[in-house]
Amino acid sequence: MDYRKEFVVHPTKKLKLARIDPAQSGGHASNEAAQPEITKYVTRMAELQALLYANADQSLLVVLQALDAAGKDGVVRHLFSGMNPQGTSVFGFKQPSAAEAAHDFLWRAHQRTPGKGEVVVFNRSHYEDVLVVRVHELVPESVWSKRYALINDFEKLLTENGTRILKFFLHISPEEQLERFKQRLDDPARNWKISESDYSERELWPQYVEAYEEALVKTSTAHAPWYVIPANHKWFRNLATSQIIAETMEEMKLKLPPTRVDLEDVRRKYHAAAAAQEKRNGKG
Ligand code: AMP
Ligand code: MG
């Protein structure tokens, strides 16, 4: 199945998240059944990332957004399971620091965008400024409503500069969220993930859905598409995100960089060095 076609948000169609089943799994019966495909995409992503790094003329930005416990951290672990730490990084967007809050809302995002050759994942992002900020009325509507166009311009600027942008909304059901909250409570190793605001934020689910539906439609563009990823099944979420990333990277036409040296000359030097080494070994 082509998950890019399946899950892309159309900028002209109304988006109703309630109509997208968060428990679907693309025809795969189980994690085990999907594993070979997951491995294939993770392997391909790793190869393409190595080429991206070697070439250093384009970059990739992956934006992850979701309600609590939908699996953003899990996707980060999954995506990077095959990639080389050199040339990759993750940035988690928390409540803005004093310095960040003193600037325009895109300032902190812009500083973290990937340089040429790099892959960067935003765990939350500049989209919080039309999501949590809207839901909690941290700025008036007259301010946040202008941000969609600003975001589109910002992402256009990055694209023009050689950055491919992919944006994922991890879609879970309220029941699945509650189940994961329970696991966080029951498992001491996960207690640290519990946040004071988990349950009050959960109460605001409908307001978040409304904010997401508007944001996703208004900012899903040809150059920076949004995908709604059914995320109740962690393995399916991993499969869909890695397929979409791998196939997008295929389109980037990444090739090995040109050789910068005279190979014949270097070959001669190598043989001379090998002969000299052999001579030394013979003496020793
Ligand atoms: P977590 O992702 O669990 O580490 O939580 C990060 C928190 O920071 C979430 O509650 C976000 O809603 C919040 N946050 C991120 N960006 C902003 C922002 N621009 N304004 C206010 N809160 C934010
Ligand atoms: Mg949290």
Side-chain angles (χ1 to χ4, degrees):
M1 199 184 264
D2 182 348
Y3 299 130
R4 284 198 295 177
K5 269 205 190 119
E6 191 72 17
F7 298 140
V8 72
V9 174
H10 292 276
T12 51
K13 276 196 214 154
K14 201 166 168 57
L15 175 68
K16 274 275 156 221
L17 289 172
R19 289 206 206 109
I20 301 173
D21 177 10
Q24 63 182 286
S25 57
H28 291 280
S30 66
N31 181 13
E32 289 67 38
Q35 268 316 312
E37 228 184 298
I38 295 177
T39 305
K40 179 180 88 180
Y41 290 123
V42 168
T43 306
R44 190 62 190 140
M45 251 179 353
E47 289 165 359
L48 291 165
Q49 184 246 329
L51 285 180
L52 183 79
Y53 182 75
N55 253 290
D57 63 351
Q58 299 182 71
S59 59
L60 178 70
L61 174 63
V62 177
V63 170
L64 300 177
Q65 283 290 158
L67 296 176
D68 291 316
K72 296 188 298 295
D73 296 348
V75 170
V76 169
R77 271 195 308 277
H78 168 65
L79 296 184
F80 286 150
S81 62
M83 291 196 195
N84 185 342
Q86 183 147 281
T88 61
S89 59
V90 185
F91 184 65
F93 286 70
K94 310 288 178 189
Q95 284 196 17
S97 68
E100 288 166 352
H103 289 81
D104 70 86
F105 79 103
L106 291 170
W107 183 74
R108 67 170 171 167
H110 208 162
Q111 292 177 64
R112 304 289 178 160
T113 55
K116 293 197 189 308
E118 292 174 350
V119 176
V120 169
V121 177
F122 281 180
N123 187 341
R124 301 186 190 270
S125 65
H126 46 296
Y127 283 94
E128 291 294 331
D129 291 277
V130 290
L131 296 166
V132 66
V133 164
R134 167 181 175 168
V135 169
H136 286 278
E137 300 177 6
L138 302 180
V139 301
E141 177 168 358
S142 58
V143 173
W144 60 252
S145 61
K146 291 199 188 83
R147 289 181 170 169
Y148 305 115
L150 295 168
I151 289 174
N152 287 340
D153 285 347
F154 169 61
E155 293 179 355
K156 185 84 189 160
L157 168 69
L158 301 181
T159 306
E160 295 287 327
N161 199 48
T163 303
R164 272 303 276 252
I165 305 173
L166 289 174
K167 302 179 294 198
F168 296 113
F169 170 68
L170 308 180
H171 180 44
I172 57 165
S173 63
E175 294 82 3
E176 179 64 22
Q177 185 194 54
L178 201 57
E179 173 56 33
R180 294 183 189 183
F181 281 177
K182 181 174 187 303
Q183 289 166 4
R184 289 180 177 185
L185 206 53
D186 293 346
D187 178 0
R190 297 188 203 199
N191 286 170
W192 68 275
K193 286 203 153 198
I194 300 173
S195 140
E196 213 50 82
S197 64
D198 285 347
Y199 294 88
S200 55
E201 288 295 276
R202 183 179 157 79
E203 288 301 307
L204 296 168
W205 195 287
Q207 287 89 326
Y208 273 107
V209 166
E210 189 186 11
Y212 268 107
E213 286 174 343
E214 183 170 0
L216 267 51
V217 167
K218 290 203 165 150
T219 61
S220 191
T221 55
H223 59 274
W226 272 108
Y227 298 94
V228 175
I229 305 295
N232 272 15
H233 295 295
K234 294 175 181 176
W235 57 267
F236 181 69
R237 165 204 85 192
N238 289 349
L239 171 61
T241 50
S242 51
Q243 186 205 74
I244 291 170
I245 293 174
E247 290 185 346
T248 301
M249 291 179 87
E250 298 285 359
E251 282 181 0
M252 292 168 76
K253 305 256 174 287
L254 301 162
K255 295 185 300 289
L256 281 173
T259 309
R260 275 181 267 266
V261 296
D262 177 350
L263 277 184
E264 274 316 305
D265 186 43
V266 173
R267 213 163 265 135
R268 272 193 296 277
K269 285 178 184 157
Y270 166 77
H271 287 300
Q277 184 67 44
E278 206 166 303
K279 214 168 175 186
R280 275 197 292 276
N281 290 351
K283 277 184 193 155

